């Protein structure tokens, strides 16, 4: 206990004096000290309500006999950072969040932690920190945004990006574009589709680190405040029983998370974050395992951008646990795993059923008999690349076309808006990987431009960067090895033929070994000049297939 190290005894009188400077009474100093890691700020829409969540957590902790102390964690809004240099600073914050949380906890010696994240890199960053620190921890997110409505239809941020493409193509006018702008993001919360933030908050439930509803109760609902109070109370039970993150996030729990990912149709970014979390837990993670799980796991949900349903619909249909119940019926889960409730997953699933079979389908009516994500391999990506199969049109599951090569996202967007990309093309964006970007920018702007201009069923996009969960279409990211480390993608030329076969998990570049050797001799690897944190990050980061973790 913290009091044993910092509070009790004459030699700890200096520490107690500083606690008194905080206004902590003698009684508060004798109780378990609970760190409340709150990611509240005034720039990220998913975090603007976290002060209320924090207050509720602290109340729950106090009601259960603990002393809550808040300290902050940073986050980046991927939507605001999208399409400019700011996106280089999104993925890199994941490790900053983990490292800074470690520093705060180790310096101050908390007995337990309640993590309050919400947006894209904030959730995995804090999960990584929880595993690394391995003291009793529970998560409660800020919750998803409610869907917007334009023309009587539910809409979200991905609709906004696609509306820009539609405007450029002359399909909608400025007045309609403005209507989208004002209506697609109507409340606080993480953007309302199955994007990265919501994917990771849902998977936090599956991993056993968040209570039921953590991933799906909308941010605007009062039930979210109640959930936060319950999380504050439950951390005291975890402290009392000394249940730690690595007791919960076992190899079996991580496999359950991959399985649920396939059923939910989560963001491809989960294929960066789950390996990174597994690494902190000391659990081996292989992309090859992803396809093995995908082969036997049906895709049961088509949330935006893959379909017309949103997080609020998933919540009303029974949430993440209802999806897990459908998977459990197929024998695909290890339900013996421990969770933050202090009970097993099997116990937590008692009495749970899907309430809307249009939102959460059964195996018999699944959108597909295979999972939402596929890992492709071939001579263009020897170590793998990732596609959100559930968001790819049927006619693009198998595709071959000429490469259209760009050295950056900006070059590609200019070509799309300039009408230079045509049906059948395979767009290749390179030098956007973890080290080459650096920071592995999301490519929502070009993929949305392609979709908005009506080319998403005719054009594929391949990159060593990554995609937003809001991306749809044949968008293949995380190409490994990346261009900056001499991966094959660095040597693709305009007009080269590239063949994609998602059902067969292959991606092939039509080039001879002799021609490739010639190009390697003639085409130097490009190096970008960067400074500050990005320079340190680029020097330390490993490839996407390893989760873009840092090589300390």
């Amino acid at each position: 206990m913290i009091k044993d190290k910092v509070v009790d005894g004459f030699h700890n009188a200096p520490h107690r004096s500083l606690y008194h400077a905080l206004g902590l009474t003698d009684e508060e100093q004798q109780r378990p000290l609970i760190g409340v890691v709150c990611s509240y700020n005034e720039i990220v829409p998913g975090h603007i309500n976290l002060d209320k969540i924090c207050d509720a957590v602290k109340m729950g902790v106090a009601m259960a006999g603990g002393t809550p102390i808040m300290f902050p964690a940073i986050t980046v809004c991927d939507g605001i950072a999208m399409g400019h240099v700011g996106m280089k600073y999104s993925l890199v914050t994941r490790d900053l969040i983990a490292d800074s949380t470690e520093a705060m906890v180790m310096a101050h010696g908390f007995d337990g932690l309640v993590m309050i994240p919400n947006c894209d890199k904030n959730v995995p960053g804090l999960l990584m920190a929880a595993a690394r620190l391995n003291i009793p921890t529970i998560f409660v997110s800020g919750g998803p945004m409610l869907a917007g409505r334009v023309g009587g239809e539910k809409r979200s941020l991905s609709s906004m990006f696609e509306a820009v493409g539609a405007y450029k193509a002359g399909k909608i006018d400025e007045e309609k574009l403005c209507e989208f702008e004002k209506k697609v993001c109507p409340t606080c919360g993480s953007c309302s589709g199955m994007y990265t933030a919501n994917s990771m908050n849902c998977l936090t439930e599956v991993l056993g680190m968040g209570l039921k509803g953590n991933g799906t109760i909308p941010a605007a609902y009062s039930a979210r405040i109640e959930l936060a109070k319950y999380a504050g109370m439950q951390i005291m039970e975890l402290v009392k029983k000394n249940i730690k993150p690595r007791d919960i996030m076992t190899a079996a729990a991580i496999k359950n998370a991959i399985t649920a990912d396939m059923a939910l149709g989560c963001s491809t970014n989960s294929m960066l974050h789950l390996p990174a979390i597994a690494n902190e837990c000391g659990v081996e993670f292989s992309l090859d395992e992803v396809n093995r799980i995908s082969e036997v796991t049906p895709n049961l949900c088509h949330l935006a951008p893959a379909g017309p349903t949103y997080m609020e619909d998933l919540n009303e249909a029974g949430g993440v646990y209802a999806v897990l119940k459908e998977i459990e019926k197929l024998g695909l889960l290890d339900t013996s795993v421990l969770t933050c409730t202090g009970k097993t997953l099997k116990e937590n699933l008692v009495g749970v059923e899907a309430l809307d079979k249009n939102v959460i389908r059964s195996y018999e009516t699944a959108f597909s008999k295979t999972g939402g994500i596929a890992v492709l391999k071939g001579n263009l990506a020897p170590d793998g690349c990732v596609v959100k199969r559930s968001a790819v049109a049927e006619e693009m599951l198998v595709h071959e076309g000429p490469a259209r090569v760009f050295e950056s996202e900006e070059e590609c967007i200019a070509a799309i808006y300039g009408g230079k990309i045509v049906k059948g093309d395979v767009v290749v964006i390179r030098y956007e990987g973890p080290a080459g970007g650096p920071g592995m920018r999301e490519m929502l702007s070009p993929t949305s431009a392609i979709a908005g201009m009506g080319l998403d069923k005719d054009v594929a996009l391949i990159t060593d960067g990554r995609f937003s969960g809001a991306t749809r279409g044949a968008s293949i990211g995380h190409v490994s090895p990346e261009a900056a480390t001499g991966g094959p993608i660095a040597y693709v030329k305009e007009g080269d033929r590239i063949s994609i076969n998602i059902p067969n998990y292959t991606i092939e570049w039509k080039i001879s070994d002799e021609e490739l050797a010639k190009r390697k001799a003639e085409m130097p690897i490009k190096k970008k000049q960067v400074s500050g944190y990005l320079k340190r990050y680029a020097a330390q980061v490993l490839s996407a297939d390893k989760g873009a973790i840092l090589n300390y």
Side-chain angles (χ1 to χ4, degrees), residues 39 53 80 172 198 212 299 335 338 362 416:
S39 304
I53 302 295
I80 294 174
I172 62 172
N198 292 325
K212 180 183 178 183
N299 178 219
T335 57
L338 185 64
S362 64
I416 295 168

Side-chain angles (χ1 to χ4, degrees), residues 160-171:
M160 182 71 253
F161 276 89
E162 290 180 15
V164 173
Y167 174 75
K168 288 290 290 186
K171 294 184 175 183

Side-chain angles (χ1 to χ4, degrees), residues 183-426:
K183 293 182 177 179
V184 295
C185 296
T187 70
C188 62
S190 48
C191 296
S192 56
M194 187 53 83
Y195 309 148
T196 304
N198 292 325
S199 295
M200 294 310 301
N201 281 323
C202 287
L203 295 181
T204 298
E205 281 190 58
V206 184
L207 287 167
M209 293 297 292
L211 297 174
K212 180 183 178 183
N214 177 72
T216 59
I217 297 172
Y221 285 12
S222 297
R224 176 62 58 177
I225 300 296
E226 294 182 32
L227 184 72
K229 291 176 183 175
Y230 284 125
M233 290 187 276
Q234 185 58 25
I235 187 58
M236 298 306 297
E237 286 297 309
L238 297 177
V239 170
K240 186 192 311 182
K241 296 175 180 176
N242 198 30
I243 297 175
K244 300 174 182 178
R246 281 184 236 156
D247 300 325
I248 295 172
M249 290 192 287
T250 60
I254 289 169
K255 185 175 179 181
N256 283 347
I258 300 171
T259 303
D261 189 322
M262 296 302 151
L264 284 163
C266 290
S267 164
T268 51
N269 280 308
S270 64
M271 293 299 104
L272 288 174
H273 303 321
L274 286 176
I277 294 162
N279 177 67
E280 296 290 353
C281 293
V283 172
E284 186 176 344
F285 188 106
S286 168
L287 285 181
D288 293 332
E289 180 74 0
V290 172
N291 282 345
R292 285 193 289 269
I293 292 173
S294 181
E295 276 295 311
V296 296
T297 307
N299 178 219
L300 305 180
C301 302
H302 260 193
L303 293 138
T309 52
Y310 293 79
M311 295 305 296
E312 63 202 65
D313 302 311
L314 180 58
N315 187 63
E316 293 301 316
V320 173
Y321 271 35
V323 178
L324 293 180
K325 189 68 174 184
E326 292 299 320
I327 307 171
E328 182 194 31
K329 293 174 184 176
L330 303 174
L332 298 176
L333 292 179
D334 184 338
T335 57
S336 68
V337 294
L338 185 64
T339 73
C340 66
T341 64
K343 300 177 181 178
T344 65
L345 180 58
K346 186 175 184 65
E347 291 174 296
N348 291 344
L349 289 175
V350 171
V352 173
E353 289 295 338
L355 304 177
D356 187 337
K357 293 295 187 177
N358 293 316
V359 178
I360 303 172
R361 296 191 177 186
S362 64
Y363 177 79
E364 291 73 23
T365 59
F367 289 100
S368 67
K369 301 302 182 185
T370 52
I373 288 177
V375 175
L376 314 183
K377 285 191 175 182
N379 64 345
L380 186 60
D383 295 333
C385 54
V386 178
V387 62
K388 188 171 183 177
R389 172 167 46 187
S390 60
V392 179
E394 185 72 25
E395 51 266 54
M396 286 299 292
L397 290 172
V398 177
H399 179 77
E400 182 176 322
R404 304 298 311 282
V405 183
F406 302 95
E407 308 297 316
S408 70
E409 178 186 12
E410 288 83 358
E411 283 185 22
C412 179
I413 292 172
I416 295 168
Y417 286 152
K420 296 178 181 178
I421 303 301
V422 299
K423 290 183 178 182
D425 283 348
V426 177

Side-chain angles (χ1 to χ4, degrees), residues 79-94:
I80 294 174
M82 196 71 65
H84 57 90
V85 69
M87 183 47 72
K88 292 179 183 289
Y89 287 88
S90 173
L91 179 60
V92 304
T93 64
R94 185 188 71 183

Side-chain angles (χ1 to χ4, degrees), residues 42 44-45 49 52 64 68 74 164 192 243 274 312 434 450 459 525 532:
E42 295 182 341
V44 182
N49 66 321
K52 307 295 189 298
I74 65 166
V164 173
S192 56
I243 297 175
L274 286 176
E312 63 202 65
I450 288 169
V459 171
I525 298 299

